[in-house]
Amino acid sequence: MLASPFASRTLALARGREPVVALTGAGVSAESGLATFRGADGLWNGRDPADLATPEAFARDPHLVWRFYDWRRRKARAARPNAAHLALAALERQRGAMRVVTQNVDGLHQRAGSASVLSLHGTLWRLRCTAENREFDDERADLGVLPLRCECGGLLRPAVVWFGEPLDPAVLAEAEHAVRTAALVLVVGTSSMVVPAASLAPIARRAGAWIVEINPDRTPLTRHADEHVTGRAGDLLPRLVAAAGFDVEVA
Ligand code: BV8
């Protein structure tokens, strides 16, 4: 077996019984073919995705925003969980005492079998009626006429957290509790630029957690991490899980 690129303390904690949290971002889904948020064909229809993921954009042009989200749903449905998603699910299943806290809305952690996913920014697979403020699951492949409307006539929107919108306080409180009580926090595939998600790793570190960043690049978190392992999540996470003595599912 290849020597593990991970520090012995990382392996000891991964092998141990104390709680582990995996904080993930778009980079975990990159190897499933889903472009990262900043790299999200950054030229989606000539626009910056972040300019489309706002309530102002939706109020201005709900049809355009719905075309963006319909495109993202189609890409996410066609994608398959990759070795990174499967490795985290395998670790949770065999080790226990583990949570995935994700910024992603694609649903791939859940499809990989992770059972206790905290979705900080909601999901593509739920809709909200803007008139009734009612949410419901919707996994349809074909959404039909856009922008989507509720039977009540109100505009439907994706049940995701847009820029400028608050996160669900209960979800954020649960995520903060998870990182405060974790012994090991794996920060995987995120540029650590969007708050409050990016504040979770510093909270964990102040509470005494061992912070391991897995990313091909450096990020604003890198110099605060106890360990930065350079590389792809789909390569490194299975190696971490195997080096910690657990079986890894094949992608
Ligand atoms: C809020 C859901 C308050 C929708 C998303 C100025 C300064 C500081 C902060 C702000 C500011 N102006 C505004 C803010 C706040 C703002 C913010 O943080 N802005 C940023 C841009 C500065 N935050 C908010 O608005 C949040 N809300 O603050 O509310 C409030 C309180 C009360 C009342 C009213 C308001 C809400 C933020 C949530 C926005 N929604 N997504 C959707 O997805 O469509 S954000 C979206 O972008 C993602 O969810 C994610 O959070 C973010 C993208 O980040 P990443 O996931 O990290 O992806 P990225 O592409 O950036 O990086 C990918 C990484 O992977 C890279 O590092 C790359 O190297 C790596 N990688 C690539 N390949 C691989 C890999 N790693 C491993 N393996 C690979 N193979």
Side-chain angles (χ1 to χ4, degrees):
M1 174 169 38
L2 283 174
S4 166
F6 291 92
S8 55
R9 177 149 172 71
T10 303
L11 295 180
L13 287 167
R15 197 176 288 131
R17 289 275 163 270
E18 293 176 280
V20 171
V21 169
L23 292 176
T24 69
V28 160
S29 294
E31 292 158 84
S32 295
L34 296 185
T36 59
F37 211 78
R38 270 155 199 76
D41 300 352
L43 303 174
W44 185 84
N45 218 13
R47 292 173 179 78
D48 176 344
D51 292 341
L52 290 162
T54 69
E56 293 77 16
F58 187 68
R60 191 172 49 245
D61 189 342
H63 182 251
L64 171 68
V65 173
W66 261 119
R67 280 177 48 226
F68 174 53
Y69 279 93
D70 185 28
W71 174 76
R72 300 228 354 244
R73 283 169 57 113
R74 292 174 190 278
K75 301 282 276 187
R77 174 187 310 285
R80 291 180 58 235
N82 66 60
H85 299 107
L86 292 170
L88 289 176
L91 187 63
E92 178 188 336
R93 199 169 25 256
Q94 296 170 71
R95 182 189 185 282
M98 180 182 159
R99 299 213 71 172
V100 171
V101 177
T102 190
Q103 301 168 78
N104 300 341
V105 296
D106 55 38
L108 289 180
H109 282 301
Q110 293 88 338
R111 282 171 56 191
S114 287
S116 66
V117 179
L118 262 179
S119 296
L120 295 173
H121 297 157
T123 173
L124 292 170
W125 310 112
R126 274 179 78 77
L127 304 182
R128 183 184 311 145
C129 173
T130 57
E132 301 165 309
N133 203 24
R134 174 178 64 88
E135 283 192 8
F136 53 93
D137 291 334
D138 181 299
E139 311 226 345
R140 282 176 292 169
D142 184 351
L143 289 173
V145 177
L146 300 176
L148 285 187
R149 290 222 173 252
C150 177
E151 300 105 54
C152 79
L155 264 178
L156 291 173
R157 55 164 283 182
V160 300
V161 180
W162 279 329
F163 288 100
E165 294 184 323
L167 278 63
D168 177 330
V171 171
L172 186 55
E174 199 172 339
E176 286 174 350
H177 175 70
V179 297
R180 279 204 181 90
T181 51
L184 170 64
V185 175
L186 305 170
V187 185
V188 193
T190 178
S191 59
S192 289
M193 284 167 55
V194 172
V195 293
S199 64
L200 292 173
I203 288 171
R205 182 156 172 67
R206 283 195 295 276
W210 179 259
I211 309 295
V212 179
E213 183 178 45
I214 294 174
N215 196 316
D217 298 339
R218 296 177 62 80
T219 74
L221 176 71
T222 304
R223 61 194 177 89
H224 303 292
D226 295 293
E227 185 179 21
H228 172 92
V229 185
T230 302
R232 294 178 297 102
D235 169 45
L236 290 170
L237 279 174
R239 290 171 65 185
L240 172 60
V241 173
F246 299 104
D247 297 333
V248 185
E249 306 262 303
V250 177

